[in-house]
Amino acid sequence: MRALIDSLKARIATATPYAAYFGEVDGTPDYPYVLLWTSTGQLEQHTLAGAADLSDRLGVTMVATTSEGVLSMSKHVRAALVGFKPDSDTWSVAALREPYDSQPIDRDRDVSLPNHGYPCFAVDLYRLRGTPM
């Protein structure tokens, strides 16, 4: 999973103007940014040989200082991810498809930004599917 996450972070950093983090953001981030999250790799048994296929979700949280900022960044992040095939040394991963779910834009009232109020965020959910190499 580590290689997949590193590949996704690199893709966002090179294909968009946004920094990408996984799990949490250390320190004070520059806005806007992308926060990736997933499990440690949910596996499903699908073969007679007993091999387990990767079948997990990928959360992509887009964070900006305004709701309109989140709307603007969403088209760039989706363009970077849809059709992208994350790299891994242990999994052959399918290219990402359109998000299967998208949560509405909301404000993070746990964080207060000087002169900006509360940051806004939205979450897209993608499927991570792969087979062992």
Side-chain angles (χ1 to χ4, degrees):
M1 285 302 286
R2 177 65 187 234
L4 289 174
I5 295 302
D6 289 345
S7 176
L8 289 160
K9 285 172 50 179
R11 174 65 177 184
I12 290 168
T14 58
T16 75
Y18 314 116
Y21 304 92
F22 177 72
E24 68 270 338
V25 179
D26 294 329
T28 304
D30 290 327
Y31 290 84
Y33 67 88
V34 176
L35 182 66
L36 304 173
W37 50 273
T38 190
S39 77
T40 57
Q42 186 167 339
L43 305 177
E44 290 184 350
Q45 297 286 341
H46 284 297
T47 66
L48 293 176
D53 291 343
L54 175 68
S55 179
D56 213 337
R57 67 180 173 175
L58 170 69
V60 178
T61 303
M62 298 161 284
V63 185
T65 57
T66 65
S67 295
E68 289 182 358
V70 174
L71 281 177
S72 294
M73 72 185 297
S74 67
K75 67 181 176 184
H76 298 289
V77 173
R78 287 176 180 165
L81 293 178
V82 173
F84 177 66
K85 187 175 178 179
D87 249 353
S88 171
D89 53 355
T90 56
W91 295 102
S92 175
V93 181
L96 296 176
R97 295 183 178 178
E98 292 286 334
Y100 71 87
D101 195 12
S102 187
Q103 298 173 1
I105 296 172
D106 199 358
R107 290 201 173 278
D108 183 352
R109 298 197 187 281
D110 292 334
V111 177
S112 180
L113 301 174
N115 302 320
H116 284 290
Y118 303 105
C120 297
F121 68 95
V123 178
D124 282 344
L125 296 174
Y126 295 84
R127 298 215 187 274
L128 280 177
R129 300 218 184 264
T131 55
M133 293 179 82

